[in-house]
Amino acid sequence: MTPEHEVVVVGGGFGGLLVATELAARGRDVLLVDAAEAPGGVAATIEDDGFVLEPAAGTLLLPHPKLTPLLARAGVAVEPASPSAGVRYVWTRGRLAAIPSSPKALITPAISLRGKLRMAFEPFVRMPPPGEEESLHGFLTRRLGDEAGGLLAHVAASGVFAGDPRRLSAAAAFPGVVELERTGGSLARGAIRRLRAASRPRPPRPTSHLPVGGMAKAARTMAAALGDGYRASFPVAAVLPDGGAWRVEGPETLTAAAVVVALRPGDARAVLPTIVSELPDGWPSSPVAVVGIGGTAADVPLPEGFGFLTGPDVDAATVGCLFESSYAPRRAPEGCALAKAIVGGARRPDLADRSDADLVSVVVGDLERALGVSVTPSWTRVVRHPEGIPHYDLGHRHRLSALDRIEAHHAGLVFAGWGYRGIGLAHLAADAARVADRLERR
């Protein structure tokens, strides 16, 4: 029997959309099936009373060698964020302290003079990595010292994963940073070596961009660009090997030479009944709630900037807060402001279960303490993500190795999505190229 499709992609989040777009760009016959009525997964832009809340990622770092061409191919329009998006803060020592991009981080008031001196000494540190898997906290404190390394590990873990830096794997969560030490012997020397090896002229530095119309519109645009290659409201019950091909059981039965399972690990296990015993379990995640706080600019006074992350010395429910209307003015009505706070995460997962009123109250209290002003919102919205953000812990790379063995043993089966090799859209675009390369080699 000849399969009716070259590739079926299961899952309509951005991971699946980017894989399908990459495969289509390479001339493959691809069909993406999505259980939901609309594409995009957790990216579901909320528009209400003039406020626009992105309950998941809302910005893109562009240009990017993989993401930029895929967005362009799909016709996704983007625009630069306000220049204030380059200003980022950490809430520490009772105030907001700006964190400039490295190496200007040496001037930040968030780190003491002693901590800055130890950080500046990083190129001369000869402490080798341990033999076992190293946490993000362990890696950065070894390289940068307890103060600077501890702070940067905390904000990096919070800003990307809402995670715990002592449980996150440095190599799994931030492989590019670990690679700097491996190739250069230190972070500084590795960065210099990378700059010298970069192509000339160097590409422009990525900056924050916004999808015109929001992330939900971007997802719809990508799905529309696939034409008949996108099918909504198609829940998949099982993906089964079938005589050298694959059978996808849903509202109807599909056959394909290859299947990309672009689902969270738990959902992937559910649709692979004949392979489930081979699949590793124990994929942790960090439950979060997103709290939108809006009102007049006088009632919700936000500084210029992208937002802040809460430092390890601050007892707060808020992991971080984005000043949405400061860098994306169209996300609030004229004369109004909108903040987006993230609550819960790996260190406080219980907080995401509190009532809407409680969450709004604690976020308002945190904002007042962080900003030093009174905050009186007239518009609020709470969005919960009980499944949470994937948490690339110290066992993550071992689980990925197990997936690699499964893919090698079951020709034509590939896993993709934010549960595996990066959660940002740039990482998902890079992974889409990896998936396409792997299928082409087979």
Side-chain angles (χ1 to χ4, degrees), residues 239-267:
V239 174
L240 305 165
D242 187 8
W246 292 89
R247 192 168 75 251
V248 179
E249 300 286 359
E252 62 182 274
T253 298
L254 307 173
T255 58
V259 173
V260 179
V261 179
L263 301 173
R264 298 180 69 108
D267 294 332

Side-chain angles (χ1 to χ4, degrees), residues 94-121:
R95 62 171 178 161
L96 295 187
I99 298 287
S101 300
S102 181
K104 293 181 180 180
L106 288 172
I107 67 173
T108 178
I111 301 172
S112 70
L113 177 59
R114 182 176 181 178
K116 291 172 185 173
L117 290 174
R118 170 61 181 84
M119 185 165 54
F121 190 70

Side-chain angles (χ1 to χ4, degrees), residues 79-390:
E79 59 184 352
S82 165
S84 68
V87 182
R88 305 182 182 220
Y89 302 91
V90 60
W91 179 15
T92 184
R93 303 184 182 190
R95 62 171 178 161
L96 295 187
I99 298 287
S101 300
S102 181
K104 293 181 180 180
L106 288 172
I107 67 173
T108 178
I111 301 172
S112 70
L113 177 59
R114 182 176 181 178
K116 291 172 185 173
L117 290 174
R118 170 61 181 84
M119 185 165 54
F121 190 70
E122 189 272 336
F124 308 101
V125 173
R126 293 291 184 265
M127 188 184 302
E132 68 276 2
E133 185 89 355
E134 192 170 23
S135 72
L136 180 63
H137 181 271
F139 175 79
L140 287 177
T141 54
R142 179 171 58 82
R143 295 306 320 168
L144 301 171
D146 289 344
E147 182 187 352
L151 176 64
L152 293 177
H154 182 90
V155 299
S158 297
V160 180
F161 296 92
D164 182 345
R166 295 179 184 272
R167 289 189 285 146
L168 277 176
S169 162
F174 296 95
V177 177
V178 175
E179 182 69 6
L180 294 178
E181 181 191 41
R182 191 191 71 79
T183 58
S186 82
L187 300 181
R189 289 199 299 273
I192 292 171
R193 177 174 293 191
R194 182 178 292 178
L195 284 173
R196 288 174 175 171
S199 59
R200 299 286 193 271
R202 290 177 188 153
R205 182 171 181 166
T207 58
S208 294
H209 283 66
L210 312 170
V212 176
M215 294 296 288
K217 182 177 180 180
R220 293 194 301 270
T221 302
M222 295 186 73
L226 293 172
D228 293 337
Y230 172 80
R231 197 176 301 178
S233 301
F234 194 105
V236 170
V239 174
L240 305 165
D242 187 8
W246 292 89
R247 192 168 75 251
V248 179
E249 300 286 359
E252 62 182 274
T253 298
L254 307 173
T255 58
V259 173
V260 179
V261 179
L263 301 173
R264 298 180 69 108
D267 294 332
R269 292 173 62 86
V271 302
L272 290 164
T274 63
I275 300 173
V276 66
S277 62
E278 303 174 44
L279 292 169
D281 55 12
W283 302 82
S285 62
S286 305
V288 297
V290 174
V291 182
I293 300 292
T296 67
D299 289 337
V300 184
L302 300 177
E304 289 294 307
F306 190 76
F308 70 81
L309 292 166
T310 303
D313 61 315
V314 177
D315 182 14
T318 301
V319 175
C321 182
L322 303 180
F323 305 151
E324 295 283 275
S325 55
S326 291
Y327 67 84
R330 282 189 280 184
R331 290 184 180 170
E334 184 72 27
C336 292
L338 174 66
K340 179 173 80 173
I342 294 85
V343 176
R347 296 188 309 124
R348 299 287 303 276
D350 57 298
L351 290 174
D353 293 330
R354 296 176 66 172
S355 70
D356 287 5
D358 281 350
L359 289 176
V360 169
S361 178
V362 297
V363 166
V364 168
D366 287 347
L367 282 178
E368 290 182 334
R369 286 195 292 147
L371 304 179
V373 296
S374 176
V375 176
T376 310
S378 58
W379 184 93
T380 61
R381 181 64 65 93
V382 176
V383 180
R384 288 176 172 78
H385 298 294
E387 291 186 324
I389 301 170

Side-chain angles (χ1 to χ4, degrees), residues 44-47 51-55 290 292 338-340 379 381 383:
T45 307
I46 296 170
E47 300 184 46
F51 291 97
V52 180
L53 180 66
E54 297 286 358
V290 174
L338 174 66
K340 179 173 80 173
W379 184 93
R381 181 64 65 93
V383 180

